[in-house]
Amino acid sequence: MTSRIAAVMTTCALGLGALASGAGVAAAAPSAASAAVDARAAAVDRCSYQVVRSDDSRYVYSVSGVVGGSTRELPTQKEDFVRIAGEWLKVAQVDACADGQTQAPATLRVTGKLEHPEHYEPSVPRTIRSDALKPASSSVIPKAPRLTSVDRIDAATVRVNWEPVQGNPDQVIVLERKPFYSSEIGVWHPYTFQWDAPSGAASMERKLQRDPDVPSEVRSHSYWMRVTKNGFVSDLRAERPTTVEP
């Protein structure tokens, strides 16, 4: 896939994601440069840390940890855009135990490097950073309900069912990965939608994409669960999609 096609697909996906979640404008690419990154962090478990941050798509981001007075970059385990309180934020989970490390980081920091500085005026910051982040305890990471089944209602409809929600999260999210057609480049490709579930709901009906032109390799649909609470997101690594064929 050429870089042009990939760029177009990314642009379409972000815009469509905002519509799917009811957001007026995706916050993935703010128009004005920022001198700092707005971020928060929490421990998911002994080795994994979640960092929730604002995002300016002109920058490439990394997370570093301070351990015993030295700073090292932490590898990313998983990351995604998540809509929290009406704002699109980037959630990354990083590994603090890589390379045999056993000591927990005292603080974390997000650094963004301008990806193509030659394309921007000198006034645009080449590097942006968060404050030093002292991770909150693992108790702030909410637990997502287990998806119990995906039942076929008719030829073009399924019902996604999940366990009762615990812990009063701010939002329960049903994630749906299905074929999406990009008219600009004339290609079907998988795209993940994030649907906000109504309060108290334990199921949601979704329509299957059954266009005969969808290639067999991207025809399947997958569903899984996520929750947000107090600015943090359930463990991204624990998400286990259930896949169905249309």
Side-chain angles (χ1 to χ4, degrees), residues 158-225:
V158 294
R159 179 179 293 123
V160 182
N161 304 285
W162 56 90
E163 291 180 334
V165 178
Q166 305 295 323
N168 298 312
D170 297 328
Q171 187 61 59
V172 177
I173 301 167
V174 178
L175 291 105
E176 176 187 44
R177 189 165 180 83
K178 67 177 184 178
F180 164 67
Y181 184 71
S182 174
S183 59
E184 184 170 352
I185 56 177
V187 172
W188 285 96
H189 63 91
Y191 175 70
T192 300
F193 293 82
Q194 300 186 30
W195 303 104
D196 291 351
S199 177
S203 67
M204 176 183 286
E205 291 189 6
R206 300 301 314 147
K207 289 294 184 181
L208 300 174
Q209 177 53 260
R210 296 172 57 83
D211 191 300
D213 292 331
V214 177
S216 58
E217 64 269 20
V218 299
R219 189 175 295 274
S220 62
H221 293 54
S222 297
Y223 303 90
W224 63 101
M225 306 300 297

Side-chain angles (χ1 to χ4, degrees), residues 39-105:
R40 65 185 72 96
V44 182
D45 53 36
R46 188 180 70 83
C47 289
S48 181
Y49 288 78
Q50 182 178 114
V51 177
V52 182
R53 61 166 171 80
S54 57
D55 189 79
D56 184 328
S57 61
R58 298 171 298 180
Y59 293 84
V60 176
Y61 295 85
S62 62
V63 177
S64 58
V66 176
V67 179
S70 62
T71 301
R72 63 186 181 90
E73 187 172 328
L74 305 180
T76 299
Q77 297 171 321
K78 195 170 183 180
E79 61 182 0
D80 200 2
F81 281 104
V82 180
R83 185 170 176 255
I84 300 176
E87 182 181 8
W88 284 97
L89 300 172
K90 193 66 171 285
V91 178
Q93 290 186 195
V94 296
D95 185 3
C97 293
D99 302 323
Q101 294 292 327
T102 58
Q103 189 175 353

